[in-house]
Amino acid sequence: MHGITGNHRDFISETRIRSWAERRGIAVIMPSGYNAFYLDQPATHNYFGRFVGQELVEFARRVFPISSRREDTFIGGISMGGYGALRNGFKYAENFGGIIALSSAMVAGRIDDVISDDLFFLNRPFLESTFGDLEHVADSDKDPARLAADVVYCDRPRPRVFMAWGTSDPLANPNRELAGRLQDTGIDVTQLELPGGHDWEFWNTALVRALDWLPVSMG
């Protein structure tokens, strides 16, 4: 899943995802999530979270000759898409065996720290329209750490997680903190910190490592 201001074509134009997927014998489905952080927006009848977490999985299994097993189904993304993968991977844990989250835009647990008028997606009106009441985001179903805890405590299937971020990424610390919280909860987390920033140069490197982490055989 793409990041903020991106679309479903980003991975085709910016990476070699097609050849990487062919070599591994996997199908990669790339939806557009606009700038909605892959969250449901009932007021506008846009259910991005339900779409990527449930409806797209069901549709893909009907249309394409792919596995219907949870263990063979994964969700992943970069930046905003990394957040969306974590949030929806845990919310719809029965559908996913693994989550790939690269440079996740983890605003859910620290929204007050990131509010800024310098970028449209960090100003208060945009965040409120996306996340609702900002005082109630933490520990809600928009908080991946809370959803992960629910998965463990309710004895639901536990997706394995691969997280990666760049050492010079402004979001490095929030990602480190979240990886630690997930591990403390009981989630199996593989975390990787590599030189790089919040850009496609880093994501091209990290994405190959993430695909190697998937439990699939090379073709």
Side-chain angles (χ1 to χ4, degrees):
M1 297 191 293
H2 63 79
I4 199 84
T5 73
N7 60 55
H8 63 282
R9 296 186 296 269
D10 285 2
F11 285 91
I12 291 294
S13 61
E14 300 290 347
T15 77
R16 294 170 56 204
I17 189 64
R18 178 178 295 171
S19 61
W20 295 338
E22 287 177 351
R23 288 208 311 269
R24 292 166 174 81
I26 61 175
V28 180
I29 298 170
M30 295 162 282
S32 277
Y34 301 92
N35 296 324
F37 278 81
Y38 302 94
L39 294 171
D40 295 328
Q41 310 288 348
T44 56
H45 304 284
N46 290 313
Y47 292 86
F48 296 102
R50 186 176 68 191
F51 172 63
V52 299
Q54 180 175 332
E55 295 171 354
L56 185 58
V57 175
E58 296 171 354
F59 175 80
R61 288 172 176 171
R62 288 199 307 269
V63 174
F64 301 110
I66 59 177
S67 172
S68 60
R69 296 184 344 126
R70 169 186 173 271
E71 293 81 3
D72 298 330
T73 307
F74 315 99
I75 186 169
I78 60 167
S79 193
M80 179 187 77
Y83 163 79
L86 288 164
R87 188 268 181 178
N88 293 299
F90 288 125
K91 186 172 180 65
Y92 298 95
E94 288 77 12
N95 290 336
F96 300 105
I99 299 169
I100 293 174
L102 308 181
S103 310
S104 301
M106 286 311 307
V107 298
R110 47 172 62 225
I111 283 186
D112 287 339
D113 295 339
V114 302
I115 291 175
S116 169
D117 290 330
D118 294 336
L119 297 169
F120 81 90
F121 52 84
L122 294 181
N123 67 49
R124 181 174 290 275
F126 174 81
L127 292 173
E128 288 178 341
S129 68
T130 303
F131 290 90
D133 187 342
L134 301 185
E135 294 184 2
H136 296 97
V137 173
D139 203 34
S140 74
D141 81 335
K142 299 180 179 70
D143 183 350
R146 149 71 189 281
L147 292 170
D150 288 348
V151 163
V152 173
Y153 298 145
C154 297
D155 199 25
R156 296 168 60 204
R158 303 185 191 184
R160 297 167 56 242
V161 176
F162 180 95
M163 294 182 65
W165 56 86
T167 53
S168 57
D169 190 331
L171 299 176
N173 279 333
N175 277 269
R176 292 188 196 106
E177 292 172 7
L178 179 65
R181 291 181 65 188
L182 296 180
Q183 286 181 319
D184 291 344
T185 299
I187 299 296
D188 179 357
V189 181
T190 297
Q191 51 183 302
L192 182 65
E193 184 166 333
L194 299 170
H198 200 82
D199 51 44
W200 282 106
E201 182 176 358
F202 171 79
W203 294 325
N204 268 280
T205 299
L207 183 55
V208 173
R209 302 286 288 271
L211 294 176
D212 289 342
W213 168 83
L214 294 177
V216 296
S217 300
M218 298 289 283

